[in-house]
Amino acid sequence: MSITRRSLLLGGMAGIAGSSFMLRQAFAAEQAPHNIEKKPKFVSTPFTLGVASGDPEADGFVIWTRLAPTPLEEAGGMILKPMWVKWEVAEDEHMSRVVARGQALAHPELAHSVHVEVGGLKAARPYWYRFRIAEYDSPVGRGQTLPQAGAAVERVRFAVAGCQQYEEGYYTAWRAIAQEPVDFIYHYGDYIYEGKDSGPGYRKMNGRPFKVLRRHVGPECYSLDEYRRRYAQYKTDTDLQAAHAATSWFVSFDDHEVDNNWAGDSDQDGTPAEVFLFRRAAAMQAYYEHMPLRRRSFPNGSHMQIYRTARYGDLLNMFVLDTRQYRSDQVYGDKDGPQREDVWASQRSMMGAEQEQWLFNGLARSDTRWNLLAHQVMMLNLGHRKSANAQLEYSMDQWSGYLYSRKRLLEFIKAQCPGNVVNVTGDAHRHFAGDLLVNPDDKQPVSVEFLATSITSGADGVGDMDAFSQSVRTENPWLKATTDKRGYVLCDVGRDQWRGDLKIVDQVMEHNGQISTYASFITDRGHPGLQRA
């Protein structure tokens, strides 16, 4: 059995019950560091940040936790020594039929986080898992394996969500998602917001004042310790923990996991690239430490491999994209503006050449009924006017600021996989649903997009009667719906029809907000375009 010391250090060994498990345990014990804390003691449960599973495959998934008995204190209240954490996976929620167990090292270098890649499980079914250290048991989480690649699948359901500014609302939508019967969750990014404590009183969002609900601990995040504390603060929320424990997640980062509107090696403040990359490296490490990601996403300095694929039988190929690390810097200093020549410049890219080719190759080979592009920012090309006689302006941080890349992708979809590509995105703090056209005057769309509004960012919102909503509807006939409310998108995918429900919460600045469906749309396979359900 060939097991490298590095694979051990990155998360411990995943042992399946039986003789192979015993061999792996014996090997792990030989290779373990000499300074392991053999009798750890804690002032309270070290599982204050909950548990999570992610990156499912047909034979298993990642299970995650982080030891932090006092999560907002230095090092989460942990002594700076590695320690063993036991784990087990069962076929039932009572953990009576255990099918896999083992132990993994929680290293102080990784904030005592644990990432176990569990394998050898059956395809297309749920499992339950938990961790144990000293006399403490973690909460029980639920993960779900994917169907085999060639299996005939009739249906898959999943939720799309992100943008969860801690100060701007309660995580009511996460509690609702935890109760949805979904197969997986896609988090498009902005898991944390890096900004400083806003202080008491009021702040503005899109020109509207609202009272700060919950306050960040600490200054704007620059160091690894500051990012770690920010993740810990967010993860103490019980509604977010419930959603993580409910099913397996696919995650990607957007901008606020590092810095607002960062692009490649550039931040929004003009910091020299070589300096900004130090900050980006700290942010990437903290992101990995707190997400249920596989070792293939382990950061290498300031770089992190986050674009990847997953397959749901013969029904769905999922392509998780990265529209931050490889993009060109935004034009106009990140401000909205007209679509002039520089927005069309061929040397500017949203995904970078390597990722674009990876995506094109994957789409060209795909033989599933549907293809899902899961990414961070809007692909709909939406212009708006600030006043009746003003020029049309577009976001330079979305695909509308990278029109050469956008056209290349849509033309490829039109030529290679017409009628079976759906986009799910986020970041805009509003729901959007619409048709994707290669050119504005085209009659036939080549794909569709569901953009999920924020979990909290933007507070309660104002609905769909504000000036921006009215302008963007008037100027863009391919836009089918938009509203400034919080919530998520629920996708229900059958073999010939894809349905998207735009779920909203009536309020997030108070507890017990009510969930409803703002609008529902369907698109038929082979005939792209959204129709009211």
Side-chain angles (χ1 to χ4, degrees):
M1 178 176 291
S2 176
I3 303 174
T4 66
R5 178 173 175 80
R6 183 173 185 270
S7 69
L8 171 69
L9 294 178
L10 296 191
M13 297 308 303
I16 304 302
S19 61
S20 64
F21 163 66
M22 298 303 293
L23 287 172
R24 293 184 187 189
Q25 285 293 84
F27 189 90
E30 289 180 8
Q31 298 297 313
H34 300 300
N35 62 333
I36 291 177
E37 178 61 37
K38 296 181 179 179
K39 294 183 179 180
K41 295 182 180 180
F42 307 100
V43 297
S44 63
T45 177
F47 299 112
T48 58
L49 305 183
V51 298
S53 70
D55 272 6
E57 295 180 353
D59 69 339
F61 38 72
V62 177
I63 58 175
W64 170 94
T65 194
R66 178 191 164 195
L67 306 179
T70 51
L72 300 186
E73 294 184 5
E74 184 177 359
M78 296 288 294
I79 61 170
L80 298 182
K81 287 186 176 183
M83 52 192 67
W84 288 110
V85 180
K86 296 179 180 179
W87 59 267
E88 55 186 8
V89 176
E91 292 183 329
D92 65 301
E93 60 186 314
H94 303 295
M95 304 298 295
S96 62
R97 299 194 302 275
V98 174
V99 296
R101 56 165 53 94
Q103 60 181 4
L105 276 171
H107 289 275
E109 294 91 338
L110 295 175
H112 289 100
S113 62
V114 176
H115 300 72
V116 178
E117 297 185 17
V118 183
L121 304 181
K122 297 176 183 177
R125 63 148 296 162
Y127 288 90
W128 288 262
Y129 62 92
R130 68 183 173 192
F131 298 89
R132 177 176 296 164
I133 189 170
E135 71 273 25
Y136 295 100
D137 286 346
S138 75
V140 174
R142 178 183 179 275
Q144 187 151 322
T145 54
L146 303 183
Q148 294 288 355
V153 176
E154 295 296 320
R155 183 186 188 197
V156 61
R157 300 176 82 246
F158 64 95
V160 182
C163 287
Q164 51 198 54
Q165 222 287 10
Y166 186 81
E167 298 178 314
E168 296 179 9
Y170 294 114
Y171 290 166
T172 308
W174 279 128
R175 178 65 61 174
I177 291 172
Q179 297 167 355
E180 295 274 12
V182 294
D183 297 291
F184 64 86
I185 293 168
Y186 170 60
H187 193 294
Y188 60 71
D190 291 349
Y191 193 98
I192 63 165
Y193 280 67
E194 81 288 5
K196 65 180 181 180
D197 170 21
S198 294
Y202 288 81
R203 60 184 296 182
K204 286 187 176 182
M205 173 66 69
N206 298 327
R208 295 180 285 102
F210 64 90
K211 191 174 183 179
V212 173
L213 180 66
R214 306 187 287 187
R215 295 173 59 181
H216 282 151
V217 174
E220 182 171 351
C221 299
Y222 283 90
S223 71
L224 179 57
D225 285 344
E226 288 160 353
Y227 281 111
R228 284 171 169 170
R229 180 168 58 180
R230 188 60 51 85
Y231 278 102
Q233 182 176 18
Y234 278 53
K235 281 183 167 289
T236 56
D237 186 278
T238 56
D239 292 335
L240 178 58
Q241 289 187 16
H244 270 298
T247 193
S248 297
W249 288 36
F250 293 98
V251 300
S252 61
F253 51 71
D254 191 29
D255 55 336
H256 287 288
E257 287 88 352
V258 182
D259 182 46
N260 181 53
N261 284 8
W262 69 278
D265 59 4
S266 302
D267 69 1
Q268 63 178 351
D269 301 314
T271 304
E274 63 272 20
V275 176
F276 171 66
L277 289 178
F278 280 114
R279 182 184 187 182
R280 204 179 90 174
M284 294 295 178
Q285 178 173 339
Y287 183 77
Y288 176 83
E289 290 171 349
H290 292 86
M291 294 296 120
L293 288 163
R294 293 182 178 270
R295 293 190 193 106
R296 62 189 177 218
S297 294
F298 194 84
N300 180 10
S302 63
H303 178 263
M304 189 172 181
Q305 180 64 42
I306 202 72
Y307 67 82
R308 59 205 190 278
T309 61
R311 179 171 175 138
Y312 208 87
D314 69 345
L315 182 62
L316 180 70
N317 257 333
M318 179 181 185
F319 299 86
V320 179
L321 307 185
D322 179 349
T323 60
R324 284 292 166 189
Q325 285 192 95
Y326 314 105
R327 69 155 75 182
S328 306
D329 197 9
Q330 301 93 336
V331 299
Y332 308 148
D334 299 355
K335 305 296 184 182
D336 289 0
Q339 292 179 323
R340 296 183 179 136
E341 290 183 5
D342 42 6
V343 175
W344 282 97
S346 61
Q347 71 271 21
R348 299 184 66 254
S349 176
M350 177 61 96
M351 295 187 291
E354 183 176 333
Q355 181 182 190
E356 182 185 74
Q357 192 59 56
W358 163 85
L359 175 60
F360 287 1
N361 291 342
L363 286 173
R365 292 192 301 264
S366 179
D367 59 357
T368 51
R369 301 287 291 177
W370 295 95
N371 293 292
L372 167 63
L373 304 189
H375 42 132
Q376 293 75 40
V377 296
M378 183 190 294
M379 182 165 277
L380 285 164
N381 192 25
L382 300 182
H384 63 278
R385 301 182 193 275
K386 293 181 178 178
S387 62
N389 298 320
Q391 64 181 349
L392 279 174
E393 294 190 353
Y394 298 79
S395 170
M396 295 298 107
D397 190 53
Q398 299 167 357
W399 285 83
S400 52
Y402 299 79
L403 290 182
Y404 181 80
S405 289
R406 181 182 185 274
K407 187 172 184 179
R408 280 177 59 85
L409 176 52
L410 291 179
E411 287 180 337
F412 187 89
I413 291 171
K414 181 180 180 180
Q416 298 292 327
C417 38
N420 72 349
V421 176
V422 174
N423 294 262
V424 296
T425 59
D427 188 54
H429 302 177
R430 296 171 180 257
H431 275 312
F432 291 91
D435 296 338
L436 293 172
L437 310 176
V438 177
N439 302 297
D441 54 353
D442 287 349
K443 302 299 183 184
Q444 180 63 40
V446 300
S447 184
V448 299
E449 178 176 2
F450 294 100
L451 188 150
T453 187
S454 57
I455 292 289
T456 55
S457 303
D460 286 337
V462 296
D464 55 5
M465 297 305 294
D466 61 311
F468 176 84
S469 293
Q470 294 178 25
S471 173
V472 78
R473 282 191 181 120
T474 300
E475 302 295 343
N476 307 278
W478 44 87
L479 177 64
K480 304 298 183 179
T482 184
T483 186
D484 177 17
K485 297 296 288 185
R486 313 288 69 82
Y488 56 97
V489 166
L490 184 65
C491 290
D492 193 338
V493 185
R495 295 190 70 80
D496 296 307
Q497 192 173 84
W498 185 305
R499 177 186 175 114
D501 295 328
L502 311 184
K503 297 289 189 176
I504 59 172
V505 187
D506 63 343
Q507 59 178 358
V508 294
M509 298 300 282
E510 300 286 345
H511 281 300
N512 303 316
Q514 298 300 305
I515 304 291
S516 62
T517 301
Y518 173 73
S520 298
F521 295 92
I522 58 172
T523 183
D524 293 323
R525 184 178 181 275
H527 302 280
L530 293 182
Q531 305 295 327
R532 286 272 181 176

